[in-house]
Amino acid sequence: MVSKLVVHVPHASTFIPEDAWTDFLVSRQEVEAEALASTDLYTDEMARQAWPHARIVEAEVSRIVVDVERYDDDSREEMSEVGRGVMYTCDHLMRPLRRPIIGARREELLEQYYRQHWKHLRSEAADAVLVDLHTYPAAPWPIERHVHGARPEIDIGFTEGLSPPEWVNALTQHFRKNGYEVGHNTPYVGVIDAGASCAVMIEIRRDIVGQPNGTDPKWKRLIDALRSMPVGL
């Protein structure tokens, strides 16, 4: 029996704090549209329905304000090269979105939304099984750095030393038995290290997600598959 399951949901929020609006270069409507386009929509509800007894750690603000799954040092973060580091300056089409955030303002946002998030995540993940939950678009975006890999319905992201091969294999077989196309570390690679006893990333292609409206068969099928998947080994 799993003693503790933590589900990380870093990209579900569309919330833009009031003091962040003046950082953007485009209209409020365009910012809201980008927040919606960039969000891993419904992953928060997905986590709650699939794993009702898990501890769910969610980012407080939209990823276009602070992306908690980027390195906070841009020199280590490859996505900063396309304006999508820890603090986005470009939208998903590589168009200007926000002025560069530097100095005291950068420190303020990092402290409030990045460091506090990671402190909470690490405290929850200690000695737990961690599932890092995402969705991704069916077609590559211009800002993506690795566009030539396969884009399966479910991508299991794993890292040596964090993700037991037996668990990865069990997850692969489980989702395939449920009729899903499964890939490994494609198009996204690895899983975050938050101090969990073991961890995987699950990336779900957005065209198979459906709507959490109680009647969508795509959604029901996905939730059933997530709920019944093996959790840790």
Side-chain angles (χ1 to χ4, degrees), residues 76-166:
R76 301 178 62 200
E77 177 55 63
E78 68 171 356
M79 292 302 292
S80 67
E81 298 172 10
V82 290
R84 302 281 279 196
V86 66
M87 296 187 191
Y88 293 7
T89 57
C90 292
D91 69 10
H92 69 289
L93 300 176
M94 292 189 71
R95 301 173 300 194
L97 176 68
R98 183 168 61 163
R99 64 181 176 85
I101 308 299
I102 60 175
R105 176 60 174 158
R106 181 182 176 90
E107 279 299 306
E108 177 187 9
L109 290 174
L110 285 174
E111 182 60 32
Q112 186 169 2
Y113 299 119
Y114 188 93
R115 295 179 187 129
Q116 291 301 315
H117 175 87
W118 271 92
K119 181 179 179 180
H120 176 47
L121 177 59
R122 287 192 178 101
S123 70
E124 292 290 351
D127 300 319
V129 172
L130 176 69
V131 172
D132 190 32
L133 186 63
H134 298 260
T135 65
Y136 75 98
W141 284 348
I143 51 90
E144 292 189 29
R145 306 298 286 159
H146 308 284
V147 299
H148 300 299
R151 302 178 80 85
E153 292 177 326
I154 294 179
D155 165 25
I156 300 173
F158 58 89
T159 300
E160 185 177 356
L162 293 175
S163 314
E166 298 84 359

Side-chain angles (χ1 to χ4, degrees), residues 128-130 157-165 167-168 190-201:
V129 172
L130 176 69
F158 58 89
T159 300
E160 185 177 356
L162 293 175
S163 314
W167 186 22
V168 173
V191 63
I192 58 170
D193 184 357
S197 61
C198 58
V200 295
M201 175 176 67

Side-chain angles (χ1 to χ4, degrees), residues 48-88:
R48 285 191 288 269
Q49 290 191 25
W51 302 289
H53 302 297
R55 298 299 299 267
I56 300 172
V57 179
E58 302 179 50
E60 184 178 345
V61 296
S62 168
R63 65 191 296 186
I64 72 170
V65 177
V66 174
D67 190 333
V68 298
E69 287 222 336
R70 302 289 197 248
Y71 289 116
D72 59 352
D73 179 355
D74 282 344
S75 68
R76 301 178 62 200
E77 177 55 63
E78 68 171 356
M79 292 302 292
S80 67
E81 298 172 10
V82 290
R84 302 281 279 196
V86 66
M87 296 187 191
Y88 293 7

